[in-house]
């Protein structure tokens, strides 16, 4: 895997307990960025922070539930205390809970909307002042969202998940028109099938088996493949904004 120059950058990564968030934190740290690791499972964050530090990087684990705006505000204050203003935000926290719409799983709908969309908004709200201040001071500032190919392609039984991801894609497109003129880059990454823990929360045996079948059928992306794209784009010169990227396994239709 290539390494990218991210010295003097301070990154906040949500969803850093596993999957794409954890891989992104490792790669950004390998490029020299200080990384704040946000998710709910502190043991995972601590383990990753220890690994990054053993490899010569700087990491701060911060346990937070992104659905709780007060907790997100406290997390932002903690990051600012330890690192100062962050200039790179990666929103990777997310949940995917498919079920037929007729199953009436309002509990899952709320979890997905609260985490994938409203949680992303809470995080943006908490960290955007620092990104804007960084940009105003003439330095590079990045806001990265992790949406999904499901923002564009229909998968039966994934309607609410897809709706949250379509919302994130549209949010990023709209935010770019507001924040680009302020020199805050907005990048929306839309991965396809990626080997992570995401499918582990599916409670429908048939849909869980269907997802397992997809992983058997084609070589999926790794979390590091997605992290590589995020590290690449955030390390471009300040005037270059790769605004949207669909990253698919070669064999995914
Ligand atoms: P993982 O399940 O491995 O990672 C999700 C992360 O989100 C975990 O670190 C989890 O940590 C964190 N998280 C979940 N809920 C919350 C919460 N309420 N507050 C804070 N953190 C939370 O899956 P991925 O790495 O695959 O997922 C990353 C993103 O990529 C998601 O937004 C997903 O929708 C998207 N995506 C994934 C694809 C795939 O095929 N895997 C394809 C396209 C997009 P913890 O439980 O400790 O809080």
């Amino acid at each position: 895997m290539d390494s990218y120059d991210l010295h003097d950058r301070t990154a906040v990564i949500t969803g850093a307990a596993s999957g794409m968030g954890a891989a992104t934190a490792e790669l950004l740290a390998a490029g020299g960025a200080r990384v704040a690791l946000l998710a709910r499972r502190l043991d995972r964050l601590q383990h990753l922070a220890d690994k990054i530090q053993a490899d010569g990087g700087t990491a701060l684990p911060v346990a937070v539930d992104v659905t709780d705006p007060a907790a997100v505000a406290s997390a932002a204050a903690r990051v600012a205390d330890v690192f100062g203003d962050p200039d790179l935000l990666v929103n990777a926290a997310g949940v995917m809970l498919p079920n037929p719409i007729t199953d009436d799983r309002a509990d899952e709908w709320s979890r997905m909307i609260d985490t994938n969309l409203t949680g992303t908004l809470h995080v943006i709200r908490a960290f955007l002042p620092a990104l804007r201040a960084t940009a105003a001071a003439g330095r590079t500032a990045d806001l990265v969202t992790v949406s999904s190919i499901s923002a564009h392609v229909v998968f039966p039984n994934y309607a609410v998940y897809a709706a949250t991801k379509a919302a994130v894609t549209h949010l990023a497109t709209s935010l770019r028109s507001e924040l680009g003129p302020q020199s805050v880059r907005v990048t929306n990454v839309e991965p396809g099938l990626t080997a992570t823990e995401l499918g582990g929360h599916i409670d429908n045996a048939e849909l869980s088996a269907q997802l397992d079948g997809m992983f058997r059928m084609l070589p999926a992306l790794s979390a590091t493949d997605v992290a590589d794209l995020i590290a690449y784009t955030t390390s471009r010169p300040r005037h270059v904004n790769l605004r949207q990227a669909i990253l698919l396994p070669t064999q995914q239709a």
Side-chain angles (χ1 to χ4, degrees):
M1 196 55 67
D2 291 334
S3 75
Y4 302 96
D5 185 4
L6 289 153
H7 286 97
D8 297 326
R9 302 294 301 272
T10 302
V12 173
I13 302 109
T14 74
S18 58
M20 297 175 195
T24 300
E26 278 202 79
L27 210 49
L28 297 182
R34 291 173 290 276
V35 290
L37 314 173
L38 275 58
R40 292 167 302 180
R41 287 170 293 174
L42 185 58
D43 55 333
R44 291 288 198 96
L45 300 178
Q46 189 61 60
H47 181 76
L48 180 59
D50 291 345
K51 182 167 186 287
I52 288 171
Q53 268 153 206
D55 291 341
T58 305
L60 173 71
V62 183
V64 64
D65 183 333
V66 297
T67 67
D68 177 349
V72 173
S74 300
R78 168 103 178 106
V79 172
D81 273 355
V82 178
F83 283 162
D85 274 351
D87 53 55
L88 199 172
L89 171 62
V90 180
N91 287 281
V95 285
M96 181 183 76
L97 309 165
N99 260 313
I101 202 76
T102 45
D103 277 13
D104 228 0
R105 292 296 301 272
D107 59 324
E108 293 187 335
W109 305 344
S110 300
R111 263 186 74 194
M112 287 188 282
I113 294 166
D114 292 353
T115 309
N116 302 358
L117 179 57
T118 316
T120 297
L121 283 167
H122 293 324
V123 171
I124 291 173
R125 177 180 177 221
F127 290 100
L128 189 54
L131 297 184
R132 293 182 63 230
T134 302
R139 305 204 318 272
T140 307
D142 281 291
L143 194 175
V144 179
T145 46
V146 180
S147 176
S148 166
I149 185 61
S150 62
H152 306 286
V153 174
V154 170
F155 299 103
N157 305 310
Y158 285 73
V160 179
Y161 176 73
T164 66
K165 291 300 176 177
V168 168
T169 285
H170 206 77
L171 176 71
T173 306
S174 300
L175 288 185
R176 187 175 176 278
S177 71
E178 284 183 48
L179 300 176
Q182 300 173 39
S183 294
V184 176
R185 295 192 293 207
V186 179
T187 297
N188 184 37
V189 178
E190 301 176 317
L193 190 71
T194 309
T196 68
E197 297 180 5
L198 193 70
H201 311 292
I202 300 175
D203 69 1
N204 177 316
E206 197 181 322
L207 293 179
S208 187
Q210 185 188 65
L211 187 63
D212 290 346
M214 282 182 72
F215 278 106
R216 279 196 303 276
M217 246 166 52
L218 57 91
L221 300 174
S222 69
T224 306
D225 293 327
V226 180
D228 181 58
L229 177 61
I230 294 172
Y232 170 79
T233 187
T234 54
S235 59
R236 293 309 87 202
R238 187 170 181 244
H239 66 288
V240 179
N241 184 185
L242 196 166
R243 82 164 178 92
Q244 186 168 12
I246 296 177
L247 183 67
L248 294 179
T250 303
Q251 292 184 26
Q252 183 171 358

